[in-house]
Amino acid sequence: MSEDVAAQADRKLEEALAREGARDPREFYRQRLRELKQANSEGYAKAVAYYRDTLIPDVASGAAAPLEAWTEYGRRLAQSLAPGRTVAVDGTGRAHPYEAPAPRDQLVLHLPEGKGGRALLVGLPAELTAAQRATYDVLVSGKLKLRD
């Protein structure tokens, strides 16, 4: 992947974020990638290869919509960390099976299989509703007390 391709992909993502008023997912995806590197070296190598060989070239060339492509990357990272299912949480707090592309106003979480694992953040709307905030606090942050 050349620096020009990476710069073009970054520019297209920045434009899409500004146009949609969306949150930039790259910081929490970097955190997922660090976790993956520690937990699953093979999964990490696959995630880096997907980023380099698919995500960036597809976004740069216009073959993939930037926000949808990055959300799919986040879903892949979460799945590599913990097998499970991905859901989209609407403004009322109801979870639905994730289908790409998720509407921008939905909170997208990956729910690991089994007991004890916290949900992994895949996508955040620009602003969380009270129900989405409560869902995030309990499932992602592990907080058992609601905010005032």
Side-chain angles (χ1 to χ4, degrees), residues 37 42 48 72 96 104 124 132 137 143 147:
K37 187 175 184 177
E42 183 179 330
V48 170
E72 176 58 20
H96 308 276
R104 294 279 152 246
L124 275 171
Q132 288 170 327
D137 285 349
K143 295 178 183 174
R147 297 173 188 227

Side-chain angles (χ1 to χ4, degrees), residues 29 33 47-48 50-51 55 69-78:
Y29 292 169
L33 205 50
V48 170
Y50 181 87
Y51 171 87
L55 175 65
W70 275 94
T71 300
E72 176 58 20
Y73 183 62
R75 193 193 64 72
R76 287 169 158 271
L77 289 174

Side-chain angles (χ1 to χ4, degrees), residues 12-66:
K12 287 189 176 191
L13 176 61
E14 294 292 337
E15 290 170 356
L17 291 168
R19 184 175 54 253
E20 299 285 331
R23 293 188 187 196
D24 190 338
R26 291 176 290 189
E27 186 54 42
F28 50 89
Y29 292 169
R30 284 184 196 107
Q31 178 61 34
R32 284 289 97 71
L33 205 50
R34 285 189 288 272
E35 293 168 10
L36 186 57
K37 187 175 184 177
Q38 294 294 317
N40 177 349
S41 61
E42 183 179 330
Y44 174 78
K46 286 180 181 178
V48 170
Y50 181 87
Y51 171 87
R52 181 189 61 234
D53 300 335
T54 303
L55 175 65
I56 296 303
D58 284 358
V59 170
S61 70

Side-chain angles (χ1 to χ4, degrees), residues 41-123:
S41 61
E42 183 179 330
Y44 174 78
K46 286 180 181 178
V48 170
Y50 181 87
Y51 171 87
R52 181 189 61 234
D53 300 335
T54 303
L55 175 65
I56 296 303
D58 284 358
V59 170
S61 70
L67 296 174
E68 287 79 9
W70 275 94
T71 300
E72 176 58 20
Y73 183 62
R75 193 193 64 72
R76 287 169 158 271
L77 289 174
Q79 185 68 32
S80 293
L81 270 168
R85 63 190 175 98
T86 305
V87 299
V89 180
D90 67 23
T92 69
R94 275 190 91 128
H96 308 276
Y98 170 76
E99 291 183 27
R104 294 279 152 246
D105 64 346
Q106 294 193 351
L107 171 65
V108 181
L109 301 175
H110 181 75
L111 306 175
E113 294 172 351
K115 296 181 181 180
R118 288 191 182 155
L120 301 173
L121 179 62
V122 174

